[in-house]
Amino acid sequence: MAPATIATGAATPLLRRHKRAVPGAVFNVSTSIIGAGIMSIPATLKLLGVVPAFFMIVLVGLLVDISVEYMLRFTYSGDSTSYAGLMKESFGWVGSVSVQICVMITNLGALIMYLIIIGDVLSGKGPEHLGVLQEWFGIHWWNTRAVAILFIVVFVMLPLVSYRRVESLWLSSGVSVFLAVLFVGICSAMAIIAIVRGETKSPRILPQLDDGASFFNLFTAVPVIVTAFTFHFNVHAIGIELGRPADMILAVKISLILCAAIYFSIGIFGYLLFGDSTMDDILVNFNQTSASSTISSLMCDIIRISYALHLVLVFPLINFSLRANIDEFLFSKRPVLAMDAKRFVFLTLALLVVSYVLAITIPSISYIFQFMGSTSAVCLAFIFPGAIVLRDIHGISTRRDKIIAASMIALAVVTSSIAISTNIYKMTVNSS
């Protein structure tokens, strides 16, 4: 394989080959997948119903596994060592720039969502859904949303995003996966206790279709699930450090199974707990108004704080790809980013500032999910890998590969188009 050029345009020591064990790669892949998406899965079950949501999660997981396998196969058949380089081999500079723009949109959107959710946890969403700081200490200027997020950005995020090697984040990735599993475990236990007490809401097995508009609303759930499984921007960074292609393929399969199980578990148990009152960000549901005793109140706080910590640890991994792609896009002819301290600091601080400003401006994560999942995320996850297979510059695609790739692209385009049209129609109706 050629020297690593991921997001730098030149050979870089950031991504040396290492004999990293598969579990380390599983942690990094799982952390790249499990981010803000888990928060909206229960609301997706509320919209789709339990059975369709289960099949949708399985279907998207399978398609993601196939698309990543395509990416790795063509990567190791050529000289590219980055997603942008892979697309450049097939489609020239247009393909490379397209990937970079989509990665920037997807990753920046993810960072903004993380900060929004952390703000929801610490400072809530109004008097009906207070944050943990307001529940503990009352409402003050220092625990308002803007101040709380600013504190996290300066004193927590900034040190974490200062690492210059992605492999340095494997331990924090392992902790973040543990926190996600802890989050699901506590939610599951609370739901089981509520079932025993007869306090759960009756889940909707199938979607409730009242009219044509309701049917098309079902397609708005697709971008949420697609975004929740999109990690393609980190495939090369993690895979090159891992070494052998077979190890990366195994790590991806294990991670997808783990993440699909986590997604459906939190979806069904979260939906059982809150029913039709489930919000777009389920963490908002876990406040003192949902607590029936001191113990459950403590559990609600643990749930919110543990997942906020999870997002804090995911943030630098997503930021790594975003910063690297922006650097390659803007400064492709400059020295390696890790070797240029001024450029590294400038990009790091600029991304934190932009993420912070947008996080305190955008009211809900659902807006970002719908936009990303219908545009940049679906391109990275399905359309670009499928296009690489159909282009087949190395002559390695089978007839079956091309049929699957064409079907994947068609499905992505149709569902995204309907989702975008439905959201535009809803925004038009709401504004009139």
Side-chain angles (χ1 to χ4, degrees), residues 413-432:
V413 170
V414 170
T415 55
S416 294
S417 299
I418 296 176
I420 292 173
S421 301
T422 302
N423 282 317
I424 293 176
Y425 171 76
K426 289 168 63 177
M427 292 174 61
T428 304
V429 171
N430 293 334
S431 62
S432 61

Side-chain angles (χ1 to χ4, degrees), residues 372-390:
M372 282 173 31
S374 301
T375 55
S376 60
V378 76
C379 287
L380 292 174
F382 302 130
I383 294 177
F384 291 163
I388 290 170
V389 172
L390 295 178

Side-chain angles (χ1 to χ4, degrees), residues 319-339:
N319 180 83
F320 183 92
S321 296
L322 174 60
R323 179 175 55 203
N325 273 273
I326 291 177
D327 180 69
E328 185 180 13
F329 183 75
L330 297 177
F331 308 106
S332 59
K333 297 182 179 180
R334 300 288 294 275
V336 175
L337 178 60
M339 301 296 119

